[in-house]
């Protein structure tokens, strides 16, 4: 059994030699822990004659506090040494935190809204789950009309109405045309004369799934109704949009076409951003457009029957409408050579991180 003085002496010299904090912690346990050396010595008290026990107890306590003190001081030394030795390399690059960004289609939709807001168009939203009536009948496509086949449609069978027909997922944003006319007609009945300048950007659904189609996609629909509206207003508006969205050097042209809900109807082409409408580069056919023009949208003057569905008198008012595909316009703008449009919606982070 070690005597108290021996114990203190060995503690002192051993603590001096200690070089690291974990080592010191080990020592603390060895001396002051529950089964540590101090307590072992203290157990010896029962072999001490009663009159000497008090003194013995005192000396053990002294040893304990002395060792505690030594350990504390050593700890301070070691910590300050460690601090001095620490080197912070301020030239190391910082940690990068992963940052989210808006989906490219969302950014494009915002850009389109802003372009039209500038010339007084109001962004409207109409139901995505819609009555058959607003997608077809109200647009001059009666039940059984073959033109309906151009708009392959997802029907929903949970509701059917005598006038409005079945419910469906809107196959085009044109379903918002008559809803907008009715909304404005109501306000006109309240004495407000308000022409229509609407931009409706929304999700559309058609059952197609291949490299150029996704069953959910977006369209933006422009609708303008007022007194004395004619084709020049349509052309001017689309020209303005094309220059703002695709670039000042781009041009548009209207090509005769057919839609049930417009008369006359046109397809809108925009000049190719690669060959600038020439159709060839250095005597070779342009690979992007082949003809100098890219097909962009459908448009036309609103058919009188559609105005009537919307409660507007076609003798007094006229209007135009157009419908573009958002994804298509986006791909043509960025010259994004997507060989599969489905990557926009399959959630692959490697694609999305590029935006
Ligand atoms: N709704 C038509 C389509 O999806 C486009 C269009 C809109 C045509 C407005 C004329 C007027 O193909």
């Amino acid at each position: 059994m070690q005597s108290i003085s021996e114990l203190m002496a060995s503690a002192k010299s051993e603590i001096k030699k200690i070089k690291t904090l974990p080592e010191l912690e080990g020592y603390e346990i060895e001396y002051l822990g529950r089964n540590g050396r101090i307590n072992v010595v203290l157990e010896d008290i029962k072999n001490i004659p009663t009159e000497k026990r008090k003194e013995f107890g005192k000396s053990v306590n002294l040893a304990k506090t002395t060792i505690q003190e030594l350990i504390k001081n050593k700890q301070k030394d070691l910590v300050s040494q460690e601090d001095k030795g620490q080197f912070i390399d301020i030239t190391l690059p910082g940690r990068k935190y992963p940052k989210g960004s808006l989906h490219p289609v969302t950014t494009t939709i915002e850009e389109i809204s802003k372009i039209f807001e500038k010339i007084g168009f109001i962004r409207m939203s109409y139901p995505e789950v819609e009555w058959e009536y607003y997608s077809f009948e109200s647009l001059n496509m009666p039940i059984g009309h073959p033109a309906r086949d151009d708009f392959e449609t997802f029907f929903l069978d949970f509701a059917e109405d005598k006038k409005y027909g079945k419910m469906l997922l809107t196959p085009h944003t044109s379903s918002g045309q008559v809803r907008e006319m009715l909304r404005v007609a109501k306000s006109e009945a309240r004495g407000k004369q308000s022409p229509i300048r609407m931009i409706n950007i929304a999700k559309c659904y058609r059952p197609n799934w291949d490299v150029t189609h996704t069953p959910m996609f977006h369209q933006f629909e422009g609708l303008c109704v007022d007194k004395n509206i004619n084709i020049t207003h349509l052309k001017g508006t689309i020209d303005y949009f094309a220059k703002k969205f695709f670039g000042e050097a781009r041009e548009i042209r209207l090509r005769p076409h057919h839609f049930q809900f417009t008369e006359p109807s046109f397809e809108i082409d925009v000049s190719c951003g690669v060959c600038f409408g020439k159709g060839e580069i250095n005597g070779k056919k342009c690979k992007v457009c082949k003809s100098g023009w890219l097909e962009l949208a459908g448009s036309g003057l609103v058919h009188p029957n559609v105005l009537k569905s919307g409660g507007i008198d076609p003798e007094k008012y006229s209007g135009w409408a157009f419908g573009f595909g958002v994804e298509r316009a986006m791909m043509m703008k960025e010259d994004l050579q997507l060989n599969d449009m489905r990557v926009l919606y399959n959630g692959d982070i490697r694609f999305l991180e590029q935006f």
Side-chain angles (χ1 to χ4, degrees):
M1 171 66 54
Q2 253 180 334
S3 75
I4 301 281
S5 52
E6 277 170 358
L7 192 112
M8 279 189 24
S10 69
K12 262 185 202 167
S13 72
E14 280 170 24
I15 289 172
K16 240 187 205 165
K17 288 187 228 149
I18 288 176
K19 293 212 170 60
T20 66
L21 283 166
E23 217 182 316
L24 185 67
E25 209 174 297
Y27 259 87
E28 188 171 8
I29 294 165
E30 188 180 338
Y31 278 87
L32 308 173
R34 201 191 312 185
N35 300 316
R37 292 201 201 181
I38 294 282
N39 280 345
V40 171
V41 172
L42 203 56
E43 264 171 28
D44 212 28
I45 204 160
K46 51 187 182 291
N47 305 322
I48 305 275
T50 329
E51 66 280 11
K52 286 195 175 168
R53 279 190 189 171
K54 205 175 168 188
E55 205 185 317
F56 178 76
K58 255 190 185 170
S59 62
V60 175
N61 261 337
L62 179 70
K64 193 173 172 180
T65 48
T66 314
I67 294 172
Q68 270 170 347
E69 198 69 14
L70 286 169
I71 289 177
K72 226 193 204 168
N73 289 339
K74 185 72 185 183
Q75 202 175 21
K76 270 189 204 154
D77 284 357
L78 289 175
V79 168
S80 75
Q81 263 175 34
E82 212 168 70
D83 281 352
K84 270 184 216 146
Q86 216 169 51
F87 170 67
I88 299 173
D89 184 355
I90 55 163
T91 66
L92 279 176
R95 262 183 222 132
K96 258 194 197 152
Y97 289 94
K99 210 170 66 179
S101 59
L102 291 175
H103 191 279
V105 172
T106 308
T107 327
T108 307
I109 289 175
E110 282 183 6
E111 189 185 350
I112 295 167
S113 316
K114 285 211 183 98
I115 292 176
F116 282 102
E117 263 167 30
K118 274 219 172 99
I119 52 167
F121 278 69
I122 296 171
R123 172 110 186 250
M124 295 301 298
S125 284
Y126 285 108
E128 252 173 77
V129 178
E130 179 58 291
W131 293 109
E132 203 174 350
Y133 173 81
Y134 288 106
S135 297
F136 300 119
E137 275 100 304
S138 74
L139 296 173
N140 197 34
M141 286 183 276
I143 292 174
H145 196 284
R148 284 189 180 218
D149 298 345
D150 297 343
F151 304 92
E152 284 172 87
T153 304
F154 284 112
F155 282 96
L156 305 167
D157 28 278
F158 58 73
E160 194 158 354
D161 181 90
K162 261 199 204 117
K163 175 172 178 198
Y164 294 107
K166 289 190 182 136
M167 295 213 90
L168 44 73
L169 301 179
T170 47
H172 56 173
T173 43
S174 300
S175 57
Q177 282 190 21
V178 165
R179 280 196 180 268
E180 174 69 1
M181 290 177 203
L182 292 173
R183 183 186 73 83
V184 172
K186 247 192 228 160
S187 65
E188 249 171 57
R190 280 190 251 117
K192 284 188 211 153
Q193 151 63 37
S194 42
I196 296 174
R197 279 160 185 57
M198 168 191 82
I199 187 85
N200 170 25
I201 313 181
K203 292 192 174 78
C204 296
Y205 302 84
R206 292 186 201 174
N208 296 315
W209 179 252
D210 60 42
V211 290
T212 51
H213 295 92
T214 51
M216 186 283 298
F217 59 101
H218 297 78
Q219 280 190 344
F220 60 106
E221 183 100 1
L223 176 69
C224 174
V225 181
D226 206 343
K227 284 185 174 140
N228 305 316
I229 290 290
N230 60 48
I231 296 171
T232 60
H233 303 119
L234 169 68
K235 181 148 197 284
T237 308
I238 294 174
D239 210 29
Y240 157 80
F241 169 75
K243 289 199 167 15
K244 285 276 174 269
F245 188 75
F246 295 107
E248 289 297 326
R250 308 290 281 275
E251 291 189 350
I252 60 141
R253 73 174 182 190
L254 302 183
R255 197 162 27 80
H257 196 71
H258 175 79
F259 294 104
Q260 273 305 111
F261 34 97
T262 44
E263 182 59 39
S265 303
F266 310 96
E267 273 199 320
I268 302 166
D269 296 337
V270 64
S271 60
C272 173
V274 175
C275 66
F276 290 100
K278 291 193 190 73
E280 52 169 50
I281 304 170
N282 301 332
K284 276 190 191 151
K285 250 195 184 166
C286 174
K287 276 189 193 139
V288 174
C289 64
K290 294 184 185 89
S291 65
W293 297 91
L294 296 158
E295 193 186 310
L296 197 69
S299 69
L301 293 189
V302 182
H303 195 287
N305 286 350
V306 178
L307 289 172
K308 275 187 210 156
S309 309
I312 291 177
D313 182 353
E315 298 294 325
K316 284 194 196 148
Y317 292 95
S318 54
W320 53 251
F322 62 71
F324 285 63
V326 172
E327 289 82 353
R328 193 175 159 75
M330 178 188 112
M331 280 162 62
M332 280 163 52
K333 174 190 181 180
E334 308 287 349
D335 200 19
L336 256 183
Q337 301 284 343
L338 289 187
N339 49 19
D340 190 339
M341 209 177 102
R342 293 172 292 193
V343 297
L344 285 173
Y345 298 116
N346 68 6
D348 190 333
I349 203 89
R350 291 167 302 177
F351 171 74
L352 296 172
E353 270 173 352
Q354 298 172 46
F355 295 92

